């Protein structure tokens, strides 16, 4: 058994889930790319750098400490992790440009973005020798460098510029496009807060990947359905994606349930309670523009994840039979 903390194993599992989802999206978009769909191309490249982002993160959880190849893997992984992050924003910006009308203004922002990107990339590479953003200690542990805050600031600039371009073009987007594009910013930001509150848990990567999946489902998959697929193919694609989503949720809920001390089918009871409440809310016309049969269906699929926080609760607290003390 590897001497790796449970939370590190969970982070590695999340990384591999993210990689698989992005690979699925890339392969699904190949027909559109072949037909010279620039939006599909830029979105695939965004997914590619998201894969690199997750690959670079894995050595951080399993290669610290002594080992024949650990130092090289940790250093290479750290460089890839830092370098790939801004490229995700860059190609996401190029992707959004295909949907937005103010292309000249966007081109101007992209030039400024490129300037910051070059500076960021140079400083990242210099960090290998001069410990600017990060450094690897002699006993092979990752540490933040003296100018780590500069890297965070530059990533903040990439985030802010991309977000402001989206806000400036808000009125030109359909509701589906708004939900899709804004998810790229909102989901990782929310998970960043959860990550800060649960030290050691890595969720931002998953936030980026889930937003990619939302965009793919709302925009590219629907476009493919309208242009290229017959009714039977539509059903097969929807079943495949639905099965993929349900398997992902099932795997995560199983991860939670394995740590649960309640053996009385807690998750199944919660799902049933939510179903009763949601259907009653629909009957009483509570939020009638939101709560419908489709909404309730999605809600029930997501319900098993309501205790996801148990993943990071130590066993001595989670399984303690008596009362918790003040520190716990």
């Amino acid at each position: 058994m590897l001497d790796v903390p449970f939370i590190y194993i969970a982070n590695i599992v999340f990384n591999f889930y993210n990689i698989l989802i992005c690979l699925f999206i890339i392969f699904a978009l190949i027909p559109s790319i072949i037909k010279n769909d620039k939006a599909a191309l830029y979105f695939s490249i965004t997914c590619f750098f998201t894969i690199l982002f997750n690959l670079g993160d894995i050595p951080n959880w399993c290669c610290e400490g002594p080992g024949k190849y650990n130092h090289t893997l940790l250093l290479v992984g750290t460089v890839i992790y830092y370098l790939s992050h801004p490229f995700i924003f860059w190609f996401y910006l190029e992707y959004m440009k295909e949907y937005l009308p103010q292309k000249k203004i966007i081109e101007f922002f992209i030039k400024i973005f490129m300037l910051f990107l070059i500076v960021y990339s140079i400083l990242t590479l210099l960090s290998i020798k001069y410990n600017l953003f990060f450094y690897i200690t002699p006993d092979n542990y990752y540490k933040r460098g003296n100018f780590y805050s500069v890297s965070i600031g530059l990533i903040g600039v990439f985030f802010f510029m991309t977000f402001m371009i989206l806000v400036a073009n808000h009125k030109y987007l359909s509701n589906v496009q708004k939900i899709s594009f804004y998810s790229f910013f909102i989901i990782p930001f929310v998970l960043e807060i959860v990550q800060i509150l649960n030290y050691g848990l890595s969720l931002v990567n998953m936030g980026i990947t889930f937003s990619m999946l939302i965009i793919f489902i709302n925009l590219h998959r629907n476009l493919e359905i309208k242009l290229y697929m017959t009714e039977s193919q539509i059903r097969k694609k929807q079943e495949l994606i639905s099965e993929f989503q349900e398997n992902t949720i099932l795997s995560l809920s199983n991860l939670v349930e394995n740590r649960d001390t309640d053996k009385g089918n807690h998750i199944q009871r919660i799902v049933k309670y939510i179903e009763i409440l949601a259907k009653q809310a629909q009957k009483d016309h509570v939020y009638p523009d939101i709560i419908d049969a489709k909404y309730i269906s999605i809600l029930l699929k997501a319900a098993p994840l309501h205790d996801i926080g148990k993943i990071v609760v130590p066993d001595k607290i989670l399984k303690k039979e008596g009362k918790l003390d003040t520190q716990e």
Side-chain angles (χ1 to χ4, degrees):
M1 179 70 71
L2 291 174
D3 186 20
V4 179
F6 175 82
I7 192 65
Y8 285 14
I9 296 175
N11 290 336
I12 294 171
V13 171
F14 291 156
N15 285 133
F16 278 110
Y17 265 115
N18 297 335
I19 292 169
L20 289 174
I21 290 173
C22 287
L23 284 173
F24 168 80
I25 294 173
I26 290 173
F27 281 112
L29 290 177
I30 288 177
S32 298
I33 296 172
I34 293 174
K35 294 179 179 180
N36 201 29
D37 184 342
K38 286 187 177 181
L41 175 62
Y42 287 131
F43 192 64
S44 295
I45 297 175
T46 306
C47 289
F48 170 74
F49 278 104
T50 303
I51 291 173
L52 290 182
F53 189 57
N54 282 276
L55 285 174
D57 194 36
I58 292 173
N60 191 46
W61 309 115
C62 60
C63 292
E64 287 190 322
K68 185 175 181 181
Y69 301 107
N70 278 3
H71 179 78
T72 300
L73 289 172
L74 182 59
L75 179 60
V76 171
T78 302
V79 173
I80 291 175
Y81 180 82
Y82 272 81
L83 283 179
S84 57
H85 201 174
F87 281 91
I88 295 174
F89 285 103
W90 176 23
F91 284 101
Y92 186 74
L93 182 56
E94 291 283 1
Y95 167 69
M96 286 199 308
K97 187 178 70 174
E98 297 301 312
Y99 290 87
L100 304 178
Q102 302 181 40
K103 288 186 169 51
K104 289 185 178 179
I105 297 177
I106 296 174
E107 289 290 353
F108 172 74
F109 272 95
I110 288 177
K111 290 178 181 178
I112 299 177
F113 190 101
M114 285 294 297
L115 178 62
F116 279 102
L117 179 60
I118 292 171
V119 172
Y120 177 93
S121 299
I122 292 173
L123 291 176
T124 298
L125 294 174
L126 288 175
S127 297
I128 298 173
K129 184 176 181 180
Y130 297 106
N131 305 340
L132 302 178
F133 292 167
F134 61 86
Y135 64 95
I136 309 300
T137 64
D139 52 348
N140 198 48
Y141 284 90
Y142 164 84
K143 298 293 182 181
R144 295 174 178 177
N146 295 328
F147 295 92
Y148 173 78
S149 58
V150 175
S151 71
I152 296 299
L154 287 171
I155 293 296
V157 169
F158 301 142
F159 181 98
F160 180 77
M161 289 178 63
T162 312
F163 182 74
M164 290 310 298
I165 288 174
L166 181 58
V167 171
N169 289 271
H170 180 86
K171 62 181 179 181
Y172 301 110
L173 300 173
S174 67
N175 288 333
V176 172
Q177 290 173 336
K178 290 174 185 176
I179 292 172
S180 302
F181 290 142
Y182 279 112
S183 69
F184 180 81
F185 303 96
I186 295 173
I187 296 178
F189 182 76
V190 171
L191 291 183
E192 172 73 22
I193 295 175
V194 176
Q195 179 174 302
I196 291 172
L197 296 176
N198 297 276
Y199 179 77
L201 186 62
S202 179
L203 291 176
V204 175
N205 304 12
M206 182 170 287
I208 295 174
T209 306
F210 278 179
S211 68
M212 298 291 188
L213 189 59
I214 290 173
I215 294 170
F216 170 73
I217 292 173
N218 285 345
L219 299 181
H220 291 282
R221 184 177 63 86
N222 289 338
L223 183 62
E224 289 293 314
I225 288 172
K226 292 177 182 178
L227 296 179
Y228 309 120
M229 298 186 350
T230 65
E231 290 186 4
S232 61
Q233 288 174 316
I234 291 174
R235 286 193 294 271
K236 289 179 181 179
K237 278 287 185 181
Q238 288 174 333
E239 290 171 1
L240 178 63
I241 292 174
S242 177
E243 182 181 358
F244 185 84
Q245 293 171 328
E246 289 173 10
N247 287 339
T248 300
I249 292 175
L250 179 63
S251 298
L252 289 173
S253 62
N254 285 339
L255 192 60
V256 175
E257 197 168 25
N258 288 337
R259 305 210 63 217
D260 204 340
T261 56
D262 187 349
K263 302 302 181 183
N265 297 321
H266 169 70
I267 290 179
Q268 289 84 349
R269 295 199 307 273
I270 290 296
V271 172
K272 192 62 180 177
Y273 292 152
I274 290 174
E275 182 181 13
I276 294 171
L277 291 170
K279 288 183 176 178
Q280 187 63 46
Q282 183 184 25
K283 183 178 178 181
D284 294 340
H285 303 291
V286 178
Y287 300 112
D289 56 331
I290 296 177
I291 301 179
D292 54 21
K294 182 179 180 181
Y295 179 89
I296 293 175
S297 174
I298 295 173
L299 192 64
L300 296 180
K301 290 178 182 177
L305 295 177
H306 70 280
D307 272 341
I308 190 69
K310 286 185 178 179
I311 289 177
V312 295
V313 179
D315 285 340
K316 67 177 183 179
I317 294 178
L318 189 64
K319 299 180 179 179
K320 185 176 181 180
E321 295 181 359
K323 291 184 178 181
L324 299 178
D325 58 34
T326 302
Q327 184 180 2
E328 289 169 342

